[in-house]
Amino acid sequence: MTVTMFKGKLHRLTVTEADLYYEGSITLDRELMEAARLLPYERVQVLNVNAGTRLETYTIPAPPGSRTVCLNGPAARLVAPGDQVIVIAYADMTPDEAAAHRPRVVLVDADNNPTEILDLDGSDVADPSEPAVTNAIDADGLWSPRLGRTVSTRGAVRRS
């Protein structure tokens, strides 16, 4: 038996493009995909925060550092540049694998620059606006060399 578990997500990306005439998919910055542990051509769910729509498609990597978020093909009818979306991937696991699994969450700013990378631990959440985390990785150590600037993180979550 396997269960389908939340594997990783990019939270509140800003759509940069919508290309109706490209074959269906979502084109994402390769750095963002790697941070969320998303693979090229992996099936993902895309949730449009602005419109309330959900769709399934697959990922295509864009050049690293481009911060591209482009919905292609028919999915382009469900988003507009400037919309915020959440991109989620799932994985089938045995119950033992699921018990040890820690989903990855990448939080971004308005320009799709990562601000925090979190591994969730499944503990109870006292404040629903904050995720439960095992080891939060602040974006400074991971991303500042590529961005060439300091990225601030929320005060309560620090690199372990």
Side-chain angles (χ1 to χ4, degrees), residues 7-130:
K7 177 186 155 199
K9 76 175 174 175
L10 294 163
H11 192 73
R12 292 201 176 228
L13 295 166
T14 301
V15 174
T16 59
E17 304 169 55
D19 185 353
L20 182 61
Y21 299 104
Y22 186 84
E23 292 183 23
S25 59
I26 183 169
T27 307
L28 294 168
D29 178 308
R30 184 179 288 275
E31 284 180 350
L32 294 174
M33 288 177 57
E34 289 173 0
R37 299 182 183 144
L38 302 179
L39 300 172
Y41 315 112
E42 183 171 2
R43 184 173 83 182
V44 292
Q45 207 175 44
V46 180
L47 293 61
N48 186 327
V49 175
N50 299 83
T53 57
R54 288 176 177 246
L55 64 101
E56 283 191 359
T57 191
Y58 61 92
T59 62
I60 294 179
S66 66
R67 301 305 183 246
T68 299
V69 177
C70 180
L71 276 293
N72 301 303
R77 294 230 185 252
L78 299 175
V79 299
D83 282 358
Q84 286 190 332
V85 296
I86 301 168
V87 177
I88 305 172
Y90 301 91
D92 292 329
M93 301 177 192
T94 67
D96 289 339
E97 290 171 325
H101 175 62
R102 302 295 178 252
R104 172 63 54 93
V105 176
V106 178
L107 306 177
V108 299
D109 65 16
D111 296 317
N112 295 331
N113 294 309
T115 58
E116 285 184 87
I117 298 171
L118 310 168
D119 288 337
L120 306 186
D121 67 6
S123 36
D124 293 340
V125 176
D127 178 356
S129 67
E130 292 293 323

